Amino acid sequence: MNSLWNQQESLAYQGDLALRVYTSRLLGKDPSLVLHGGGNTSVKISEKNILGEQEDILYVKGSGWDLATIETGGFSPVRMQHLLKLAKLPRLSDLQMVNELRTHMTLASAPTPSVEAILHAIIPYKFVDHTHADAIVTITNTEDGLERIKEIYGDRVVVIPYIMPGFDLARLCAERFEAEVHDHTMGMVLLNHGIFSFANDAQTAYENMISLVNEAEEYLQSHNAWAIDIDKNISQPASINRHTIARLRADASQIYSKPLILSCHTDNKATAFIKNGNIDVISQQGPATPDHVIRTKRLPLLGRDLNGYAEQYKTYFSEQSVKISEDVSMLDQAPRVILDDELGMCTLGQSAKDADIVADIYQHTIDIILRSELLGGYKALPASDIFAVEYWELEQAKLKRTGNPPEFVGEIALVTGAASGIGKACVNSLLQRGAAVVAVDINPGITDQVKNPSYLGLCCDITDMGQLSACLDKGIQRFGGLDMLILNAGIFPGGKRIESLGDDEWDKVMRINLDVNLTLLRECHPLLKLAPNGARVVCIGSKNVPAPGPGAAAYSTSKAALNQLARVAALEWGEDNIRINTLHPDAVFDTGIWTEEVLQSRAKHYGMSIHEYKTKNILHTEISSTDVAEMACEMCGSLFAKTTGAQIPIDGGNDRVI
Ligand code: ZN
C-alpha cells in the first residue's frame, strides 16, 4: 500500500477543512481501507461564532457520506466542548447521543454526525482518520489476533478490545487512550473492527494510516498469509441455466416480500472459494467487521435452500433477541450472499447498486477469510456481537435514509430497439422509476449509452436466435430475472405501394416487426411467469393499426399482426399473472428518421409550417418519445394493474382513430 499524497495536488486544497476533504478522499480511493460508506475522518478547527467568540469545532464525517466522494458539506460541525463533557458521562443511550450531537452542531443543515463523533473528539490530535483496513481485520479475526497486533506495533498503538460502536466504545477509548498515550503513539487498533491514526497535520495523519496498515500487510506477507493461491484454471460453472437463476431470485424475493435484484459472479476467486474443501466452515463464521452485517447479513447461504436459510435466520433471531435490552422486530430472512457450486457467488439487494455493494464487500471478505486461514484460522466475532450491530437502530437508519424507494425498484425490464427514439426514452423512464434495464439494440453504441449499475446495454441482432438467447442469459446473470418486456424494435421502410412491394422487403419487415417478437415472447414466458409482482409486456404498436394509410402495407400489416399477437398473449397468459397491453403512437418526430430536412419536405407537402405539421392532431400537441415512454411505464405500473389486452393511442387525438 502506497501513500497517494501528492504535494502538487494538495495545493488545490487550502485550509484545514479542505485538506480534510483531500485526505479523506485518498483513504476512500482504496477499497482495502474502506468500502461503501465505511470509515470516518475528522478535523478540529477553532473558529469565531456569530457573537465573535472563539470556539473549538469538530468537523466529523456526516452519516451517509462516502469518504471517496466526500465534500466539505459532508462534514458536520459539532462543538468540541460539549463533546468532551459528554465523553465523561457514565452512560448515554444511542438516541440521547444522536440528540446531543444534532443539537450541538453549528450548522442546522449539516448531516447527522457519525456515531463515532465522540470518539474522534477525545483523541487529542487535530486530524483523526479511521478505516476498517482489510489487513487489520484479517489479523484481528484470528485466535491470537491481540498478540499479533502487539507483536507488530509494540506500544505504538493503543489496543481496544471489541466493543460495539457508540458511546461505550468512545468512553473505553478515552480511558485507554489517557492511560496509554505517549510521544510516539501513532494509532489505535480496535480489534475485529478497524484502526485509527492521527496527527496535527492532514498529511501525517493520513501517512500514519498508510504506514500502520503497511506494517500489517508486511506481517501477513512474512507469515505466508498474503498471497492467495487461486487456481487460474479452475473450472467455471458450466453453462448457467437462466431459468434456475430466475427461480432462485423469485423464491428469494418471496421471502423478502419485495422484488430483489440477484447478480451472479463467476470470477476465478469466487469460484475457487466456493470449491474450497472447507467452505462450510470458513464461510459460516460471520462478517469481517460488524458493520458489514447490514449489507451481507451475518452468513451467506451455501447452496439454494432458501427456506432452510430463512428458518435458520428465525432461530438466530429468537436466540439473540432475548439477549439485548431493546425490543426489536425481525428483519427479512432472505440471504444477501448465496454461494452455489453451479451459479457461483450470487449477491442480492433491493437495487443493482445494493447487490454490487454486497459483491464488493464479499470479495474483500473472501480475501480476509483466506488470509486469516493462512494465519491459523478465521475467527469472526460471536453471533451476539453481530446481532447487536445488525439490530442497532443507528445502523438500520443508514439503510432507511434513502426514503421511499421508486416504483420499480428491484424489478428488471428488457427493451428492444433501445439505442434511439422511443426505445431509448423507455430505458431512461424505466431507470428513473428504479428498474434495472437490459437495453438491446443492433447499434454497438448501446453498450455504454448509460452509466448506471442498473443499466446493461447489449449489442444484438435480435433476428439471430443465438444472439438473442445469449442476451437473455447475460441479462439474467446480471439482474436475476425479468419483470417487464418492452417490444419496441421495428423498422419503417420508405413508402411503397403494393404493386411495387417486393417479397424481400415484405419478409424483412415481418421478420423484425413481428416474428422476432413471437420468439421473444416465447423465450421470455418462463422468466416472466416468475416475476414476483406479476409481469408486464408493452407492445409499441402504431396509429397505422387502427388507421392505416396508403404506401406502408408491410409496416401496417406487421404492426397489426403484432397487435393481434399481443391480444392472444393477453388471453393465454392472464393465468400466469402476465399483463400485455399495446400503445399506438403517432407522429413522434424526435426520432432518428425525422431529420430537419424530412420534416421540412413533409410540412411543405401539406402546405404547413413545421410546427403546424408536428401538431396536426385534434389536441394540436406535439408528441415526444418521452411521452410514449412514460405511457409505457404507466402501463407497467399500478395504474394499469387491472388492465390487460388493451390498446391505448398516444397521438394527440386522431379523427380516423376516434
Ligand atoms: Zn468503524
Side-chain angles (χ1 to χ4, degrees):
M1 178 170 296
N2 293 315
S3 165
L4 303 174
W5 177 279
N6 178 314
Q7 192 56 32
Q8 197 56 38
E9 214 173 66
S10 72
L11 294 176
Y13 297 84
Q14 290 296 319
D16 292 333
L17 187 56
L19 281 166
R20 179 68 284 174
V21 168
Y22 176 56
T23 57
S24 300
R25 287 182 188 167
L26 295 184
L27 294 171
K29 259 187 202 169
D30 190 333
S32 67
L33 288 173
V34 291
L35 274 174
H36 301 294
N40 41 56
T41 57
S42 68
V43 57
K44 300 175 183 80
I45 297 174
S46 175
E47 52 190 31
K48 270 201 176 83
N49 65 21
I50 200 164
L51 304 171
E53 300 155 348
Q54 204 68 31
E55 269 186 318
D56 288 336
I57 305 294
L58 176 80
Y59 280 86
V60 64
K61 191 189 92 161
S63 203
W65 281 80
D66 198 309
L67 288 181
T69 52
I70 200 158
E71 293 160 25
T72 52
F75 287 93
S76 313
V78 196
R79 292 188 175 92
M80 272 294 289
Q81 206 191 8
H82 192 68
L83 290 170
L84 294 175
K85 281 186 195 162
L86 288 177
K88 297 237 182 303
L89 285 174
R91 71 184 66 82
L92 190 65
S93 77
D94 293 336
L95 285 179
Q96 285 171 326
M97 181 176 78
V98 172
N99 181 60
E100 291 306 307
L101 295 179
R102 284 205 59 84
T103 51
H104 288 79
M105 301 196 306
T106 58
L107 185 67
S109 60
T112 298
S114 158
V115 295
E116 276 155 350
I118 298 176
L119 209 169
H120 280 260
I122 56 107
I123 297 176
Y125 289 89
K126 192 173 178 70
F127 287 86
V128 176
D129 298 23
H130 169 49
T131 71
H132 300 155
D134 285 359
I136 300 293
V137 292
T138 302
I139 293 165
T140 61
N141 277 312
T142 57
E143 189 64 55
D144 36 13
L146 172 63
E147 289 70 39
R148 290 178 190 278
I149 289 294
K150 287 188 168 155
E151 189 188 331
I152 299 167
Y153 301 114
D155 65 352
R156 288 174 300 136
V157 303
V158 177
V159 182
I160 309 290
Y162 178 77
I163 178 170
M164 196 171 130
F167 182 70
D168 293 343
L169 173 63
R171 266 206 56 171
L172 179 67
C173 290
E175 280 169 26
R176 290 282 178 107
F177 206 87
E178 228 169 75
E180 295 179 30
V181 72
H182 51 76
D183 287 352
H184 43 273
T185 304
M186 286 172 74
M188 183 161 70
V189 169
L190 278 56
L191 298 181
N192 309 86
H193 173 165
I195 179 167
F196 279 82
S197 67
F198 32 76
N200 285 326
D201 66 280
Q203 183 178 1
T204 310
Y206 166 73
E207 287 182 341
N208 280 351
M209 175 65 72
I210 301 301
S211 85
L212 288 168
V213 175
N214 246 329
E215 285 182 68
E217 291 186 349
E218 279 161 13
Y219 178 88
L220 288 169
Q221 279 161 8
S222 65
H223 287 72
N224 295 321
W226 183 255
I228 301 165
D229 235 352
I230 294 171
D231 182 358
K232 295 258 184 321
N233 303 315
I234 190 124
S235 58
Q236 300 272 342
S239 70
I240 290 183
N241 184 322
R242 59 179 180 250
H243 303 119
T244 308
I245 300 173
R247 161 65 60 195
L248 188 65
R249 180 242 178 189
D251 292 344
S253 299
Q254 197 181 8
I255 291 173
Y256 187 70
S257 73
K258 277 182 277 184
L260 280 167
I261 299 291
L262 180 152
S263 274
C264 298
H265 306 264
T266 52
D267 54 281
N268 282 338
K269 188 163 86 183
T271 308
F273 186 68
I274 293 165
K275 291 190 193 297
N276 186 304
N278 214 10
I279 186 70
D280 47 352
V281 176
I282 58 177
S283 73
Q284 301 298 304
Q285 302 291 308
T289 180
D291 79 342
H292 288 172
V293 72
I294 59 164
R295 297 290 188 180
T296 61
K297 286 226 187 268
R298 190 173 87 88
L299 301 175
L301 163 62
L302 278 181
R304 289 178 224 158
D305 180 7
L306 287 161
N307 290 327
Y309 184 91
E311 285 311 311
Q312 259 182 30
Y313 189 85
K314 284 178 195 160
T315 308
Y316 157 73
F317 179 82
S318 55
E319 282 173 6
Q320 300 301 329
S321 56
V322 292
K323 296 183 192 164
I324 60 170
S325 49
E326 304 95 84
D327 211 9
V328 289
S329 47
M330 185 163 55
L331 298 165
D332 74 89
Q333 300 105 53
R336 299 300 187 272
V337 180
I338 298 175
L339 304 174
D340 183 81
D341 270 344
E342 196 190 334
L343 304 181
M345 174 179 88
C346 310
T347 59
L348 298 94
Q350 237 200 329
S351 65
K353 186 180 168 201
D354 288 342
D356 288 352
I357 289 175
V358 175
D360 285 348
I361 290 175
Y362 209 76
Q363 288 282 2
H364 280 263
T365 304
I366 291 176
D367 289 341
I368 291 163
I369 290 176
L370 293 177
R371 286 177 180 147
S372 295
E373 281 292 303
L374 291 170
L375 211 55
Y378 178 66
K379 184 168 176 279
L381 285 167
S384 53
D385 284 320
I386 303 301
F387 184 87
V389 173
E390 184 175 2
Y391 281 85
W392 187 25
E393 138 182 53
L394 301 183
E395 281 290 328
Q396 286 303 321
K398 282 187 192 168
L399 294 180
K400 286 181 191 138
R401 194 164 296 113
T402 40
N404 269 349
E407 188 179 6
F408 295 150
V409 75
E411 295 198 291
I412 303 115
L414 186 145
V415 182
T416 62
S420 62
I422 292 169
K424 189 176 182 181
C426 283
V427 170
N428 294 335
S429 290
L430 286 160
L431 286 171
Q432 268 170 24
R433 292 177 192 224
V437 181
V438 181
V440 176
D441 204 287
I442 199 162
N443 178 347
I446 193 74
T447 51
D448 46 21
Q449 182 168 296
V450 180
K451 285 225 176 328
N452 182 329
S454 292
Y455 176 84
L456 177 68
L458 297 173
C459 177
C460 169
D461 174 358
I462 53 174
T463 61
D464 178 324
M465 182 60 202
Q467 289 190 35
L468 191 61
S469 188
C471 270
L472 290 177
D473 283 345
K474 282 181 191 155
I476 302 300
Q477 233 178 309
R478 175 71 183 106
F479 298 128
L482 188 62
D483 304 270
M484 292 172 273
L485 180 59
I486 313 286
L487 300 175
N488 166 69
I491 51 169
F492 183 89
K496 225 175 239 176
R497 296 179 68 90
I498 291 170
E499 53 271 32
S500 55
L501 181 60
D503 289 348
D504 284 357
E505 183 172 326
W506 174 267
D507 287 347
K508 188 178 174 200
V509 174
M510 288 297 162
R511 179 97 194 91
I512 295 173
N513 291 8
L514 178 63
D515 302 356
V516 159
N517 291 313
L518 171 71
T519 310
L520 254 173
L521 285 168
R522 189 185 59 225
E523 294 301 310
C524 292
H525 178 247
L527 303 169
L528 294 169
K529 251 172 81 169
L530 294 168
N533 287 349
R536 293 81 84 196
V537 179
V538 175
C539 282
I540 305 299
S542 166
K543 179 220 72 174
N544 283 25
V545 174
Y555 178 79
S556 300
T557 310
S558 69
K559 286 291 187 182
L562 173 63
N563 189 55
Q564 200 71 340
L565 177 64
R567 294 173 72 201
V568 175
L571 290 170
E572 292 185 1
W573 292 357
E575 62 195 41
D576 297 324
N577 201 14
I578 304 172
R579 302 190 280 106
I580 298 108
N581 293 296
T582 301
L583 271 179
H584 292 314
D586 186 31
V588 179
F589 295 111
D590 60 346
T591 64
I593 40 174
W594 289 98
T595 61
E596 194 67 18
E597 271 176 318
V598 176
L599 269 173
Q600 229 151 35
S601 88
R602 296 308 298 157
K604 206 170 148 196
H605 176 81
Y606 286 96
M608 292 173 169
S609 70
I610 288 186
H611 178 72
E612 282 167 344
Y613 178 71
K614 279 181 168 177
T615 58
K616 62 173 177 61
N617 52 51
I618 288 173
L619 297 172
H620 298 298
T621 183
E622 214 174 298
I623 296 116
S624 68
S625 297
T626 302
D627 295 330
V628 181
E630 286 293 300
M631 181 67 101
C633 281
E634 284 304 326
M635 290 179 115
C636 292
S638 56
L639 206 59
F640 279 72
K642 298 177 181 177
T643 301
T644 191
Q647 303 172 51
I648 308 281
I650 173 155
D651 54 11
N654 179 298
D655 50 0
R656 289 177 58 222
V657 171
I658 291 170

